[in-house]
Amino acid sequence: VLESLKKEEQQLLKDLKKKQSEADKLERIISQLLAEEIKKSSGGTNTKSANSTSSIASVAAGFEKSKANLPWPVTTGFISEKFGTHPHPVLKRVKIPNDGVNIQTKQKEQVKAVFDGLVKKRAIVPGDFKYVVIVQHGTYYTVYAKLKSVNVKMGQQVRKEDVIGEVNTDLDGLSEVQFQVWKNTEKLDPELWL
């Protein structure tokens, strides 16, 4: 029994390491995009960039006013994993970080934008995250991961509740979307915004 438990623990640690590697890749994609956007917004002082800066501030202010009132990215579901670092459910000495919230939902559920914005990135992260979409709302960004398919293009303007894609269902039959909120390079607890 002890040997069996050790093998199970080793497999769990291996799976956890793989998932952490995928999460790290997603964070690198987000961080790289945010660094590029901050660099763009800090460069130049011509009229065009001043108007752009004003527009970004206006959108960000609207997003801030929506705190605690944003619609959920899916019609039905519940938060299956909260934001922050939590103990692993089986490996008690292991902590699991989560940069967003995981929302468990039904198969083929449509994932929707929570606020008007601009699609800044579409990416594929092999493994659990599948397709990822990042939408800019001024200095705020929302991230939608674990998508089976994507309905938007980079540079596309989206309106609140426009369909971004479809939630992925894993091999265990779990349909779950990960939703993140960032302000520039700061990770925020999405639960406080929904």
Side-chain angles (χ1 to χ4, degrees), residues 114-187:
V114 298
F115 197 79
D116 297 354
L118 180 67
V119 176
K120 294 303 284 188
K121 189 81 170 176
R122 280 177 48 150
I124 298 173
V125 179
D128 285 349
F129 289 107
K130 300 289 181 200
Y131 287 98
V132 177
V133 174
I134 303 172
V135 180
Q136 180 183 25
H137 317 279
T139 54
Y140 289 89
Y141 297 82
T142 51
V143 179
Y144 309 81
K146 298 189 174 188
L147 303 177
K148 177 182 179 180
S149 61
V150 175
N151 296 5
V152 293
K153 297 180 176 121
M154 282 181 52
Q156 180 179 335
Q157 288 284 340
V158 291
R159 308 286 294 162
K160 181 170 133 179
E161 299 194 0
D162 279 355
V163 174
I164 289 178
E166 182 181 309
V167 70
N168 184 55
T169 301
D170 67 16
L171 297 174
D172 296 326
L174 180 68
S175 300
E176 189 175 64
V177 63
Q178 186 179 76
F179 176 65
Q180 298 181 18
V181 177
W182 293 62
K183 181 175 184 183
N184 289 320
T185 58
E186 180 186 0
K187 302 169 195 171

Side-chain angles (χ1 to χ4, degrees), residues 68-126:
N69 289 312
L70 291 175
W72 280 46
V74 289
T75 305
T76 60
F78 64 91
I79 293 177
S80 54
E81 188 178 329
K82 292 183 174 276
F83 173 80
T85 303
H86 311 283
H88 189 277
V90 177
L91 306 169
K92 298 301 178 193
R93 297 169 299 199
V94 176
K95 302 279 186 188
I96 304 171
N98 190 358
D99 292 342
V101 292
N102 293 6
I103 302 172
Q104 194 171 331
T105 187
K106 59 185 180 184
Q107 286 188 353
K108 299 186 179 184
E109 181 76 10
Q110 299 294 302
V111 179
K112 301 173 185 174
V114 298
F115 197 79
D116 297 354
L118 180 67
V119 176
K120 294 303 284 188
K121 189 81 170 176
R122 280 177 48 150
I124 298 173
V125 179

